[in-house]
Amino acid sequence: MAPTPYTEAGMLNPGERQQLLQLARTAIEQPLLDGETVQIDLQHWPQKLTRPGASFVTLKLAGKLRGCIGTIESHRALVLDVSANAHAAAFQDPRFEPVTATEVEQLNISLSILSQPRPVEFQQVTELHDILRPRVDGVILEAHGRRAVFLPQVWEMLPDPVEFLLQLRRKAGIPTDIDPETLNVSRFQVEAF
């Protein structure tokens, strides 16, 4: 029987969180030291961290975003997901140049472990303003082959639901005059640390 993926946020103890943060840092430092990517033997990790999981890794330098990459749905072991996303956030985020050896010590690394996304039922876009929970729900917006995601942390910068959804549409490149019936909206929660 396959292990069940994370279905609710808030499931990791402080030791497990620390292990994942150290793994993310190693996934960034090791390629800079020896050009190799981190190799993970799942047998050496606690079972809870080898279950399928989805994560986002956010890097900040001097308080400013330096990279952010993640996955929305669980498709591999959480430790593999965190390692791959940390490496990608540092070296493959198209918005930034790759992280350098001089920057790595100053990087602030944060992780968000996602719950399983759940579809949101609505008739009018204005209903979403009341359905979505600021600072609780992350949101995935899809239409016409385009998709964008905001983590719950984005509510801190965009606390108004109207503006939050407008900016999410812009990020996805979805016009504001699109028929609501063509929009697919899902929400999820995160365990952020």
Side-chain angles (χ1 to χ4, degrees):
M1 175 184 246
T4 56
Y6 293 84
T7 55
E8 299 298 329
M11 296 180 54
L12 301 174
N13 67 41
E16 292 160 341
R17 288 178 171 196
Q18 190 58 41
Q19 284 180 292
L20 290 175
L21 285 168
Q22 183 56 52
L23 172 62
R25 184 163 295 281
T26 301
I28 297 167
E29 291 176 345
Q30 188 167 327
L32 292 169
L33 292 173
D34 60 17
E36 300 291 325
T37 57
V38 173
Q39 300 301 309
I40 296 175
D41 182 349
L42 294 179
Q43 294 180 5
H44 291 60
W45 287 87
Q47 185 177 6
K48 187 193 270 187
L49 301 183
T50 62
R51 292 190 316 208
S55 67
F56 268 75
V57 178
T58 303
L59 308 178
K60 289 190 176 179
L61 187 64
K64 294 184 179 177
L65 185 64
R66 185 62 180 84
C68 183
I69 299 285
T71 50
I72 297 172
E73 296 198 26
S74 304
H75 68 278
R76 58 187 166 194
L78 181 60
V79 291
L80 298 175
D81 199 66
V82 167
S83 179
N85 290 336
H87 184 274
F91 305 112
Q92 298 166 352
D93 188 325
R95 300 169 292 179
F96 302 97
E97 292 294 319
V99 167
T100 65
T102 57
E103 294 175 313
V104 75
E105 288 295 322
Q106 301 165 32
L107 283 179
N108 180 311
I109 301 171
S110 60
L111 303 180
S112 296
I113 309 304
L114 282 64
S115 68
Q116 191 71 29
R118 299 183 194 280
V120 177
E121 300 295 328
F122 64 98
Q123 299 298 317
Q124 299 293 324
V125 173
T126 54
E127 288 179 62
L128 289 171
H129 304 153
D130 295 326
I131 294 171
L132 298 176
R133 300 169 298 173
R135 293 181 167 76
V136 175
D137 291 329
V139 180
I140 304 163
L141 183 65
E142 299 176 273
H144 302 291
R146 297 177 178 264
R147 177 170 72 174
V149 61
F150 275 164
L151 294 173
Q153 296 91 313
V154 175
W155 288 103
E156 294 172 18
M157 296 175 287
L158 300 168
D160 176 49
V162 175
E163 186 65 19
F164 183 93
L165 288 169
L166 179 64
Q167 293 302 324
L168 186 56
R169 279 178 167 221
R170 285 184 180 152
K171 181 180 179 184
I174 299 171
T176 56
D177 61 351
I178 198 168
D179 182 356
E181 290 182 7
T182 65
L183 288 175
N184 291 314
V185 178
S186 298
R187 65 178 165 182
F188 59 91
Q189 291 76 50
V190 301
E191 179 176 357
F193 51 95

